[in-house]
Amino acid sequence: MKDYAIIATAYNSEIRIYASKTTNLVNEARVIHDTWPTATAAFGRFLTVSAMMGLMYKDEEKLTLQIKGNGPIGTMLVDTCGNGEVRGDIINPHVYIRSEVKGKLDVGAAVGNGFLHVTKDLNMRSMFTSSSELKTGEIAEDFANYFVVSEQTPTAVSLGVLVENDQTVRSAGGFIVQVMPGASDETISQLERTIYDIGPVSRWFDEQKSLESLVSAIANKTEKVLDIKDLHYKCHCSKDGFARSLSALDNATMNELIEDNGIEVVCHFCKKKYHFDKNDLLKIRENQK
Ligand SMILES: [Zn+2]
């Protein structure tokens, strides 16, 4: 089954819901980056919430999100936009930490303390970056805090990635629920009860319950679906793109590469390799002039 997101309003438009199933794209990211289970869970949660957040913007608007923690994973970076495409990079994918107390993967310990940075490129020739401190490193709480601190929007975030014993992703997904201005106290307290009753979103998916029923449960059956969007792990890198990056190199470095008879460039996001031989580099140097 493909990955997708449902966008809905509920409780007389007092609440906005983004809910998504991302099992395939998280598994694809695991394969590309060779993540170990705790890194798979952390990176998967981050990709999932970023993909949903991207849907809050127009198709061509871009978001770059960064989680900079002091845990063993190091920095994670995700690019997304309004059309449901997401790609990411993780500094150290080989992290496997279990919490014996909680009996599960310890994402908080793997991410550590630090900051979440969100950069918006809204096609206005300028970028806006806003940041908030990581609360727990568990990703969901960190984003809920970000929405309150940086966007003044009361938000509940729940994310879940279940990793099989063979390290593949059994299920991944989550939701973002935002309280619109003017929502009544009654709606807010009902929403809090409903979300509490739903419990961890990973359990919801593990019981083979659908995304539609999750939206309906959050909305207490008041949902009005606004849109359904496919989600993909997608990288738009190209040899031309890397050629443009190489053309920014200074003369000495470029000459060195030419003497070395070429260079292989690896895309951080999809691990695709591009080879630039001597002729390619001579052409780039020619165009620099
Ligand atoms: Zn790429």
Side-chain angles (χ1 to χ4, degrees):
M1 211 178 69
K2 61 183 181 177
D3 296 333
Y4 66 106
I6 298 175
I7 306 167
T9 60
Y11 304 93
N12 282 320
S13 303
E14 290 171 66
I15 303 293
R16 173 72 59 111
I17 302 169
Y18 299 83
S20 68
K21 199 78 196 282
T22 54
T23 309
N24 299 312
L25 76 85
V26 172
N27 199 47
E28 198 175 336
R30 176 190 73 83
V31 172
I32 290 170
H33 294 276
D34 188 30
T35 50
W36 291 1
T38 312
T40 303
F43 196 38
R45 289 180 195 178
F46 187 28
L47 286 162
T48 299
V49 69
S50 301
M52 288 189 283
M53 199 173 158
L55 300 180
M56 296 173 187
Y57 296 87
K58 297 195 187 98
D59 279 7
E60 66 282 7
E61 293 176 341
K62 286 196 200 98
L63 288 187
T64 298
L65 305 101
Q66 237 184 334
I67 289 182
K68 275 190 173 172
N70 63 359
I73 280 181
T75 299
M76 294 188 286
L77 182 113
V78 172
D79 270 352
T80 188
C81 50
N83 67 1
E85 291 174 358
V86 68
R87 63 176 191 171
D89 188 21
I90 175 169
I91 296 287
N92 183 10
H94 295 166
V95 178
Y96 183 26
I97 308 173
R98 284 190 72 85
S99 158
E100 292 313 323
V101 183
K102 292 182 238 166
K104 56 180 190 176
L105 300 171
D106 200 340
V107 172
V111 171
N113 299 314
F115 286 87
L116 164 63
H117 304 286
V118 179
T119 302
K120 298 171 190 174
D121 177 359
L122 305 178
N123 274 340
M124 290 184 282
R125 290 196 198 148
S126 53
M127 312 268 217
F128 305 91
T129 298
S130 36
S131 308
S132 65
E133 211 168 331
L134 298 177
K135 278 280 166 193
T136 59
E138 295 277 341
I139 320 291
E141 290 88 343
D142 306 319
F143 270 84
N145 179 57
Y146 169 83
F147 283 113
V148 173
V149 172
S150 297
E151 304 197 352
Q152 288 76 48
T153 308
T155 304
V157 182
S158 181
L159 303 165
V161 174
L162 284 175
V163 182
E164 295 275 19
N165 287 335
D166 68 1
Q167 301 208 4
T168 58
V169 177
R170 178 157 66 197
S171 68
F175 62 77
I176 300 175
V177 177
Q178 299 199 305
V179 177
M180 298 290 109
S184 70
D185 291 345
E186 200 190 338
T187 296
I188 294 169
S189 49
Q190 188 175 17
L191 182 70
E192 281 169 353
R193 277 197 304 276
T194 327
I195 289 178
Y196 179 81
D197 288 343
I198 289 170
V201 73
S202 52
R203 195 172 65 204
W204 187 274
F205 292 130
D206 202 33
E207 290 168 0
Q208 304 292 323
K209 293 190 213 165
S210 71
L211 191 58
E212 288 72 13
S213 65
L214 175 64
V215 171
S216 196
I218 297 167
N220 204 12
K221 299 198 177 77
T222 64
E223 75 275 16
K224 288 201 175 77
V225 174
L226 301 176
D227 206 355
I228 294 174
K229 290 249 192 185
D230 288 350
L231 302 176
H232 304 275
Y233 191 99
K234 183 142 187 152
C235 186
H236 288 279
C237 66
S238 65
K239 193 165 180 181
D240 283 352
F242 283 108
R244 276 195 295 280
S245 308
L246 288 173
S247 72
L249 291 175
D250 61 72
N251 265 335
T253 315
M254 182 56 93
N255 291 339
E256 218 171 280
L257 294 180
I258 290 168
E259 270 167 44
D260 288 346
N261 282 315
I263 184 180
E264 188 173 74
V265 183
V266 181
C267 176
H268 283 296
F269 295 102
C270 67
K271 305 294 174 193
K272 202 168 161 183
K273 291 174 181 157
Y274 295 93
H275 187 74
F276 289 88
D277 60 22
K278 196 171 182 172
N279 281 332
D280 292 330
L281 294 171
L282 287 169
K283 225 179 280 171
I284 293 169
R285 189 174 64 180
E286 192 55 37
N287 289 336
Q288 277 179 327
K289 288 171 189 162

